[in-house]
Amino acid sequence: MLAPSRTDLLATATGLALGALLDHVVPDPRRGHPVAVFGRFAGALERRLYAPSRSRGALYTALAVGVPVAASVAVDRVTRGRPVLRAAVTGVSAWAVVGGASLRREAAAMDRLLAAEDLPGARERLSHLCGRDPAGLEAPAVARAVVESVAENTADAVVAPFFWGAVAGLPGLVGYRAANTLDAMVGHRSSRYDRFGWASARFDDLLNLVPSRLTALLTVGAAPAVRRNSAADAWRTWRRDGSAHPSPNAGQCEAAAAGALGIRLGGRNVYGGTVDERPVLGDGRAAQVSDIAPAARLSLLVGAGAAALGAAALALRAAGTAPRRAAATAPRRAATALQRAATAPRRAVAARRAPVFRSAATRLGRGAA
């Protein structure tokens, strides 16, 4: 596979920036969203392949991710050397897979419901953000669930797509979103998916190892924008509590957010009737409804930083493409120069003899006449 050219890299960088802008200004369609279309495809494939075994689940993950990645590789090849088309395709794809605006809209809706003391409505809508049981949750517990979900999903739905888009372009965007969607569909623990969904869950964990930590680092940088002098708290809480969470990735984002907001996250959650006691992250006060808006603002800043870093990384790669190609072709140019130098004496002798031969040929021609 040929490495992307400088023009292709710059077009991909432009596409990532365009996708970040589109995510802010173009709402998700009610029907026909590309991620929803993929979900229907994955659901149909699950019905054909399901068996309570890890090997069957691994086959399912490979096919469900491999098909859209193969299609995106084909599109990637078609757009090489066509920067406008490449930027447009990358931008629309980034808009489809990045969910920052929709995440903040859900957080804002929960904030409005809780501010209006509509606790039943907030409990009902909580399923849009997370899978914990909302029955019996009071307003502070619902607010904590919202803040935790915003922190975790900032990594999953915003930072990770930009990261993989910068690493692998269009196939990176599409492949990551496919894997993350599978994790949401079959990666959770239940009697049906405990074995079948194992590969999808582990693959998603692997893809998010770097983005989750990048999210935490960006959270540290953005922390002073939501609470004065909180960068040190975000850093300390992240480094101390980030690995305490049962997830290898979620705790990184949640711990940094807890430090940035000066609150405690974690604790008792209920999923499908099963109580899950999780370690406490942070050492501030308990989360409140008033923390939802700052958490959403923090998510916005972190997402903007991820988009900027992704585009900048591609631009830097583009800047280094020409020197690397020159270095790669230097041996061939040197060999050509040596070959020319070696044949120079022979060419010089031939050049000196050429007038003599022509003069002799002329005299012979006259004599014959």
Side-chain angles (χ1 to χ4, degrees):
M1 186 183 229
L2 293 174
S5 67
R6 178 176 181 274
T7 301
D8 290 338
L9 289 170
L10 290 176
T12 302
T14 303
L16 288 184
L18 177 62
L21 177 62
L22 290 175
D23 182 55
H24 286 288
V25 300
V26 179
D28 294 334
R30 295 183 179 274
R31 294 182 180 180
H33 193 286
V35 175
V37 173
F38 169 77
R40 289 194 290 272
F41 159 72
L45 187 62
E46 178 193 342
R47 290 190 290 273
R48 289 180 174 273
L49 295 180
Y50 177 80
S53 71
R54 288 187 175 183
S55 60
R56 190 64 69 88
L59 175 62
Y60 168 72
T61 302
L63 289 175
V65 175
V67 169
V69 167
S72 66
V73 168
V75 174
D76 181 78
R77 290 182 176 179
V78 169
T79 61
R80 286 184 178 178
R82 305 168 71 180
V84 175
L85 178 62
R86 190 180 188 87
V89 170
T90 303
V92 172
S93 299
W95 164 79
V97 304
V98 172
S102 59
L103 176 63
R104 294 190 299 275
R105 280 194 292 269
E106 285 299 325
M110 293 295 295
D111 191 17
R112 288 192 297 270
L113 289 169
L114 291 172
E117 299 183 354
D118 184 2
L119 188 56
R123 289 171 176 167
E124 182 178 357
R125 192 170 183 121
L126 185 61
S127 62
H128 294 194
L129 283 171
C130 63
R132 69 188 65 178
D133 295 343
L137 293 182
E138 298 301 323
V142 174
R144 175 171 68 84
V146 173
V147 173
E148 290 173 353
S149 297
V150 168
E152 180 181 359
N153 284 299
T154 297
D156 290 354
V158 186
V159 176
F162 284 128
F163 174 81
W164 287 110
V167 170
L170 181 61
L173 286 168
V174 172
Y176 171 76
R177 177 49 64 203
N180 188 246
T181 303
L182 286 189
D183 179 57
M185 294 176 65
V186 305
H188 46 86
R189 292 184 177 179
S190 67
S191 58
R192 177 177 175 84
Y193 295 127
D194 186 53
R195 296 183 63 81
F196 182 76
W198 178 86
S200 294
R202 298 290 78 77
F203 187 44
D204 181 71
D205 286 343
L206 178 64
L207 292 179
N208 276 294
L209 282 175
V210 175
S212 63
R213 287 147 180 83
L214 177 59
T215 301
L217 188 60
L218 289 170
T219 299
V220 172
V226 297
R227 190 170 70 90
R228 182 176 297 180
N229 300 324
S230 60
D233 291 341
W235 173 266
R236 176 177 52 81
T237 306
W238 169 35
R239 304 307 298 158
R240 185 191 65 194
D241 299 339
S243 299
H245 197 282
S247 165
N249 300 316
Q252 309 293 323
C253 320
E254 292 181 18
L261 298 170
I263 60 176
R264 296 193 310 275
L265 298 175
R268 185 177 185 272
N269 297 328
V270 181
Y271 298 91
T274 302
V275 176
D276 184 8
E277 290 288 350
R278 295 185 175 180
V280 173
L281 310 177
D283 45 17
R285 57 174 174 77
Q288 300 173 359
V289 176
S290 60
D291 296 313
I292 295 177
R297 188 163 65 253
L298 188 63
S299 176
L300 171 63
L301 296 171
V302 169
L309 282 178
L314 286 165
L316 287 174
R317 284 176 60 192
T321 298
R324 284 200 304 271
R325 288 187 173 178
T329 59
R332 187 167 66 249
R333 294 199 308 271
T336 302
L338 286 173
Q339 184 179 9
R340 289 178 177 175
T343 59
R346 189 167 62 249
R347 291 199 310 270
V349 170
R352 287 195 300 272
R353 289 178 177 176
V356 175
F357 292 148
R358 283 198 298 269
S359 176
T362 302
R363 290 196 298 271
L364 285 174
R366 289 176 180 172

